[in-house]
Amino acid sequence: GGGGTFGVVTHVSYKLHPVSQIVQVNWFLGGIEWAAANGRLEDISSFVTLWLRYWIEVCPTLDSRWSGFFNPTGGFLVFAGSEQDAKTTFVDAFDAWYETALNKSQWVAGVYGALPPSATIETFPSWHAHKGGSDVAGVPAATDATGDAYTGVSYSINARLWPQDVIENRPDEVHALLLELALGSKIGPVNYFLGGKIQDVAPDATAMHPAVRKAIWMVTTNDEESADKVREFIPNDVTGVCYNHHSVVEPDWRNACWGTNYARLEELKARFDPDHIFNAWHLVGYVGEESPPVAGASDPSCPAVSHDAEVAVTLAGVTKAEFETPSMTQGFKDSVAEVIDDVEAADVEIVSVAETSTRRRLLDTSTEVVFRVKDLASAEVAEQMEATLRAKQSELVAALQSNGFTSLTNITVPCSASCGTDAKVCPDGSGVGRDACNNCEFRECPSGSGGAVLSASRAFAAGLAVAVASLGWMAM
């Protein structure tokens, strides 16, 4: 969830609703990295072009019970109602589009492609069950600490609200801009599908920007140049930002964050906090220098900066329930300590645990574990530890298997380096991107070294493969 805004909550009233079944449709193009390395870059580009066009056309028409997120390779959508209603209101039409619009001639079963949307349906008896039920209640490791998901990108992430009438009335322009963002891998992996019941609330009924009530998307970009293109397309007199994910250097931030509600909020600020006890950058009534704060500055009131090594490991053949048993969790920590010198099991902190089959479609059950080795001496030590973990994957597998993970078949430790999104074409016509595990050098061509820089459209597909690979959305 997002951070605070401008006050302290002293009282909360909840309105209860009847329990509703939840239907999940987790539909993405899988195997993109394989496809990029095997001569299918144009096919990836074609898929993204068609999918974004379809999503622009269909999403404004959906029943208000639909929600979720999307990106250039698909969508994670949730319906509050029965499976039959989910099919009637969207999935049947989605299947029909899948069958008729997509060219599947270059897809390889189990390696590259996408299932029909209806084949990805998963149902839950309630929203509580969909979010993990009693297994995650009161379990800190089951959720991310505020801000952890954006470590390292807090100064580059931007989020803007896209009004529904813009999507409906300017679809060609919307499509062109989304493709341009995707072309440079500048669009975020999680872009909210909004609308629905939030549009039933009056624009001035709450503190939120009035644009929220008319928005159908929250789209994130990852650099200021891309953010400026979106701001120019839908400026502050048309919309605003999503406060939880907006840029730390957002221009005209008072208007972008709060819109016409800001003046009323400032009056309340003056009434209840005239001495600015609650005063911080981008909060209502902020008083101070108009520049973002710098973490770890020399201000003596700032705490000393510690460094952590945070690594994501995918455990193939291991379920989330298996991992979260106390003995297995401890076995994981012990295994990391065995593989890394000068690290004790007590230094290993589990950040999050997620069964990948509930977040994206995989052929086999896998569990993604994000863990942190805490309080290291420097950023350089943290980087070296992450590199060591990647280099010792086989040792980690052996240690895990000896510490109770008998069902483990393989592990994946993705590299965290941020490489360029260009690519080169190999002598055999296939394409390769840059390797985040090898100083961002180009990967080897199937037939050896060599190759030329890809054309723009082909580089887009390879760049997309690199971006998606960093998120683990490679398997079907």
Side-chain angles (χ1 to χ4, degrees), residues 154-209:
S154 58
Y155 274 66
S156 60
I157 190 172
N158 300 269
R160 202 149 187 89
L161 300 167
W162 291 54
Q164 180 166 339
D165 61 359
V166 170
I167 310 302
E168 292 177 330
N169 298 328
R170 303 165 65 185
D172 292 339
E173 295 172 79
V174 171
H175 188 247
L177 180 53
L178 287 183
L179 276 180
E180 181 181 354
L181 295 173
L183 183 67
S185 294
K186 299 301 184 182
I187 191 171
V190 176
N191 305 283
Y192 297 157
F193 171 41
L194 304 172
K197 293 298 183 181
I198 66 171
Q199 295 184 343
D200 295 341
V201 180
D204 60 353
T206 72
M208 296 183 71
H209 197 302

